[in-house]
Amino acid sequence: MKIDLHTHSRVSDGTDAPAALVRRAATLGLDVVALTDHDTFAGLDEAQSAGAEVGIDVVRGIEISAERDHNSVHLLGFGIDEQDPALNAELDKVRQGRSDRLSPVLAKLAALGLPLTPEQVYAQVGDSPSVGRPHIADALVAAGYVADRTEAFDRYLADGGPAHVPRYAIGVEQALGLVHAAGGVVVLAHPWGRGRRAQLPPDYLATLVREHGLDGIEVDHQDHDAPTRAELRRLARSLGVVVTGSSDYHGTGKVDHELGCNTTDPEQWRRLQDRIRC
Ligand code: AMP
Ligand code: FE
Ligand code: FE
Ligand code: ZN
């Protein structure tokens, strides 16, 4: 049984349509795939219809852009009441904040000698309801300023980079409360990837579990090397939370993140499902 609980379609910053992503998952032999686009549920109906056609189980999910002390923290949510008004109001604010940030980023890029029009960025947005940094990165690639998304982030767009502009994000604890109130469960995505470890130390993860009911931790992820995975797995087990593994597939938007490159143990998925209330 192959289970991948974290993927992105062109409804956020991936490059496959939701149905195409699901068909690819079936071709690659996955049994369960969750679509977890950033801050939107908009691709889920299409993904689920495709799952019914090709005979694989599509899990309705989301990856929420939260923050702790102005550092970005990603939370995977599953089993959520997608009509929940309080959660949707926050997701609206995140998406709006992302779109509002476009002009100040373009001003910074212009000052750096990399002029882009909003239209050049919108050409990269796919079916996403908001304009994120990956789309700006893709516009920089299309304009020939950089070779790929990674170079765009490393040189300009990464947190603290010369063209970075902060945007609204939900507090981690607030997001946990909103998802739980909407019947869902929360898995902390790639907590120790990309130098985030210092921002999310073990005692903080313990607090999230004990005081805020964090349900799971994504351990097997491409941003975690082998020693990091081993240590995080030990910590997750000692805290009694569910351990997940996933690809964080983005189509051609991220290399080395093929569907199913990491998977979740069926027993862990069962535990997570048991915690869903909706
Ligand atoms: P935004 O929510 O618009 O600020 O953009 C966040 C998105 O950018 C997420 O999909 C991240 O995976 C991606 N991202 C953030 N930092 C990097 C980085 N250093 N390299 C590549 N992608 C990144
Ligand atoms: Fe992404
Ligand atoms: Fe993420
Ligand atoms: Zn992701």
Side-chain angles (χ1 to χ4, degrees), residues 232-249:
L232 196 51
R233 197 181 318 277
R234 269 197 304 276
L235 175 64
R237 284 191 183 141
S238 77
L239 294 171
V241 290
V242 172
V243 168
T244 72
S246 37
S247 63
D248 203 358
Y249 176 72

Side-chain angles (χ1 to χ4, degrees), residues 25-174:
T27 306
L28 291 169
L30 292 183
D31 302 286
V32 179
V33 65
L35 181 64
T36 54
D37 275 314
H38 296 284
D39 310 300
T40 180
F41 299 113
L44 296 176
D45 288 344
E46 177 185 325
Q48 217 160 28
S49 304
E53 275 169 34
V54 296
I56 73 170
D57 189 6
V58 171
V59 176
R60 301 178 74 92
I62 191 168
E63 185 172 19
I64 298 177
S65 304
E67 69 176 1
R68 178 193 190 213
D69 296 341
H70 304 292
N71 292 309
S72 164
V73 178
H74 287 179
L75 301 172
L76 298 167
F78 306 101
I80 296 169
D81 169 7
E82 292 162 26
Q83 308 306 320
D84 184 83
L87 178 60
N88 278 290
E90 279 300 313
L91 294 175
D92 271 343
K93 275 165 78 175
V94 174
R95 292 191 298 255
Q96 191 60 45
R98 190 176 274 126
S99 298
D100 289 348
R101 185 188 53 182
L102 178 61
S103 338
V105 172
L106 294 185
K108 284 193 166 187
L109 286 170
L112 291 162
L114 309 168
L116 281 179
T117 62
E119 291 68 33
Q120 282 173 286
V121 179
Y122 282 113
Q124 305 296 327
V125 168
D127 302 317
S128 171
S130 60
V131 190
R133 278 183 287 169
H135 307 119
I136 304 173
D138 290 347
L140 288 169
V141 175
Y145 295 137
V146 292
D148 52 31
R149 262 191 199 179
T150 305
E151 187 186 347
F153 272 92
D154 290 350
R155 290 180 63 182
Y156 306 111
L157 298 172
D159 292 7
H164 180 240
V165 176
R167 62 157 167 75
Y168 180 77
I170 317 176
V172 172
E173 293 81 359
Q174 183 193 3

